[in-house]
Amino acid sequence: MFTKRSSGLCLFLIPVLLTSFLISAEPQGALAETKTACFDSSVPITPEEKRIADGAPIPQRILKESRFNRYVDRFEQALCSAPNLQTAEKLVERHSTQLWQTAVDRAQGRRPDLGSLDRYDDRPLYWARLHMTRALRQWKPDFPITGVQRQELLKQLEYASRGITSVQFPKGKGIKRILVSGFDPYRLEQEFRRSNPSGASALQLDRMRIRTEDGSAIIQAVIFPVRWEDFEDGIVEDAFGPHLIQGPHRIDLMMTISQGGPRRMAIEGYAGRWHTGIDNRLESRSGVIPTVSHWPMPNPLPEFIETTLPVQEMIDASTGPWPVLRNDEVCEWLPPDFSDPYSCHDGGPTSGSKARSGGGGSYLSNESQYRSNRLRLGLGAQDLPGGHLHIAELEFYPDDPSIHIDPDFKHHRKVTVDQTVSLVKAAAHAVY
């Protein structure tokens, strides 16, 4: 019940609130205008970033249904308000880290407020990150910025939004430290609805803690881009390297994971020192996998690296629904002349041969296995379990190309991801 005093106060506040509303409405329009002026759409973007428009309305629907569009909007608004480079560095780190943490929380059921999209969906993170890199590339700050400084901001965004900068393990005995990696969706020029079950698995696994017969196991995860240039710049080595160095935080097992063939789980027996194929930026490679200068490499460089994962224990875990096997197929140039045609067979590499492909082929999945285990050898961790798991390819995309998800596709992805999680757990149980 109002008193005379409160009634008078209300009468006083009405015009104040109305004025405040009108004033606040003005900046909203001004903010939109400033935001538009803050970005230069004529600045070239990558073929991968062009798919935001080329794939419309699929990317926009995925972001809206997951409510990840809000994180893109907040990032763009923050960029437009940055008064200097130091502030920009801080906001890029903050927003990118938040994007990764939110994606993990959403995947693991801790953010039920984030829309109606299936929590096993890795695509909101992918498309949100792509929007953010495009914004950063076309950003016109009010202060001078060099090309090198912009590239450093882009790298900071990539590493933080992929979980690389947030990998942390406790030290001490009685704790098993497991580091795994997945991949972004790829081949989107053929199908804009692509998802990648390895990336979805990484989101399920990150920060997971499980109990084993001889102590707790803590799992951390990262997601790699499907881009040659990032690999050549050392993103795989930067992700695994700090955790392979001898010391109280060194990991006890590492596993790279990617999408493979249909309806099977293949533990790749050998990684080969050769890469081929076209990436998400439509760049191609065909040649020997290059080294990186800022991490130690074994000498001589191996043509093939055999898995040290607990293969039999993973097979015996009876995870299902897909069969689990070790794949020892390789393609190689044989001595003494190493001439074409190269030979392919399932018996592992021949002594003295040169690699043409490993069990996982010669694309970035094979390269993630080769690079991470080459570094493991370079850092003297020969006995540490490491290798690659190719998981079942996603099938059953809806027949209608305008529909990005339906129950059959959702179920297929879920059972594949759940089995992947079970296989990582089986490997963790096998580590002593």
Side-chain angles (χ1 to χ4, degrees):
M1 189 172 184
F2 289 115
T3 63
K4 285 186 177 181
R5 183 176 177 182
S6 64
S7 299
L9 181 62
C10 286
L11 290 172
F12 170 77
L13 285 174
I14 288 173
V16 173
L17 292 171
L18 182 60
T19 302
S20 298
F21 172 78
L22 293 173
I23 291 174
S24 65
E26 161 69 22
Q28 291 299 320
L31 179 61
E33 186 176 337
T34 302
K35 179 180 170 181
T36 303
C38 177
F39 300 101
D40 182 359
S41 61
S42 68
V43 172
I45 57 177
T46 69
E48 190 172 20
E49 290 161 350
K50 287 179 181 177
R51 295 193 186 104
I52 294 170
D54 294 343
I58 298 298
Q60 294 75 17
R61 287 177 183 167
I62 288 171
L63 289 182
K64 183 177 180 181
E65 290 179 18
S66 62
R67 298 183 182 172
F68 269 47
N69 52 351
R70 69 174 75 173
Y71 296 99
V72 174
D73 292 340
R74 290 170 185 169
F75 175 71
E76 292 178 351
Q77 291 171 10
L79 266 186
C80 290
S81 303
N84 52 54
L85 182 60
Q86 292 73 25
T87 302
E89 290 170 344
K90 291 177 181 177
L91 74 86
V92 167
E93 179 69 23
R94 183 174 68 253
H95 284 263
S96 304
T97 301
Q98 182 188 36
L99 181 66
W100 171 259
Q101 292 175 344
T102 303
V104 171
D105 287 342
R106 178 187 175 278
Q108 297 178 15
R110 291 188 290 272
R111 291 297 302 271
D113 58 309
L114 289 177
S116 59
L117 201 61
D118 172 22
R119 71 179 180 89
Y120 280 75
D121 206 314
D122 59 310
R123 295 173 295 181
L125 172 62
Y126 174 75
W127 287 111
R129 183 194 304 112
L130 212 55
H131 275 76
M132 291 166 68
T133 59
R134 182 185 66 174
L136 192 50
R137 208 176 304 278
Q138 296 186 327
W139 172 47
K140 294 192 308 179
D142 293 330
F143 53 87
I145 183 172
T146 67
V148 171
Q149 289 168 335
R150 192 184 298 269
Q151 282 302 122
E152 283 299 313
L153 290 174
L154 282 162
K155 181 177 179 179
Q156 186 180 23
L157 190 159
E158 290 281 355
Y159 276 45
S161 66
R162 296 180 177 282
I164 294 171
T165 57
S166 58
V167 173
Q168 291 184 335
F169 290 103
K171 61 182 179 180
K173 298 180 179 180
I175 298 173
K176 302 177 183 181
R177 290 165 279 268
I178 316 293
L179 182 56
V180 303
S181 65
F183 272 100
D184 282 347
Y186 61 103
R187 293 178 183 160
L188 287 98
E189 71 279 3
Q190 302 172 6
E191 170 59 84
F192 294 112
R193 300 174 297 173
R194 297 275 191 203
S195 171
N196 193 321
S198 68
S201 298
L203 293 175
Q204 293 292 328
L205 286 161
D206 190 50
R207 294 182 287 182
M208 180 178 287
R209 190 181 189 112
I210 63 173
R211 299 192 69 84
T212 72
E213 296 79 359
D214 51 344
S216 295
I218 296 173
I219 304 168
Q220 295 273 278
V222 301
I223 295 178
F224 291 136
V226 183
R227 297 192 296 256
W228 296 117
E229 185 177 10
D230 296 71
F231 272 51
E232 290 159 358
D233 288 342
I235 193 170
V236 174
E237 290 84 355
D238 292 344
F240 284 99
H243 314 287
L244 284 169
I245 297 171
Q246 185 66 44
H249 297 92
R250 196 178 85 164
I251 55 178
D252 300 290
L253 181 144
M254 66 179 191
M255 188 187 304
T256 52
I257 306 171
S258 68
Q259 178 175 236
R263 307 180 198 184
R264 75 171 197 170
M265 304 296 221
I267 304 164
E268 302 300 350
Y270 298 89
R273 187 190 171 204
W274 189 270
H275 61 190
T276 57
I278 300 175
D279 69 2
N280 273 355
R281 287 186 177 171
L282 303 180
E283 295 182 2
S284 62
R285 296 289 188 275
S286 181
V288 171
I289 294 173
T291 59
V292 294
S293 60
H294 58 287
W295 286 101
M297 301 284 106
N299 187 18
L301 292 167
E303 288 294 320
F304 292 96
I305 304 176
E306 186 173 6
T307 184
T308 51
L309 288 174
V311 175
Q312 198 58 50
E313 289 88 340
M314 294 171 69
I315 293 173
D316 292 344
S318 301
T319 50
W322 313 124
V324 182
L325 55 92
R326 171 171 170 151
N327 176 31
D328 282 339
E329 182 177 349
V330 297
C331 294
E332 56 187 357
W333 284 286
L334 296 172
D337 53 359
F338 306 105
S339 59
D340 283 326
Y342 53 82
S343 170
C344 296
H345 55 87
D346 61 2
T350 303
S351 178
S353 68
K354 291 187 177 181
R356 178 55 178 77
S357 68
S362 55
Y363 197 44
L364 285 156
S365 53
N366 169 76
E367 187 155 345
S368 69
Q369 180 184 4
Y370 184 84
R371 284 182 174 275
S372 57
N373 285 277
R374 180 181 63 184
L375 180 61
R376 174 176 64 80
L377 298 177
L379 287 168
Q382 283 85 354
D383 296 331
L384 189 145
H388 189 81
L389 174 65
H390 253 129
I391 64 177
E393 176 185 1
L394 288 186
E395 302 176 84
F396 309 114
Y397 284 89
D399 292 334
D400 185 341
S402 68
I403 299 174
H404 56 277
I405 194 165
D406 67 6
D408 287 342
F409 176 75
K410 187 187 301 185
H411 171 74
H412 181 63
R413 180 171 56 193
K414 182 179 185 301
V415 298
T416 300
V417 170
D418 284 346
Q419 184 176 6
T420 305
V421 171
S422 296
L423 285 168
V424 173
K425 288 181 177 180
H429 280 278
V431 175
Y432 295 101

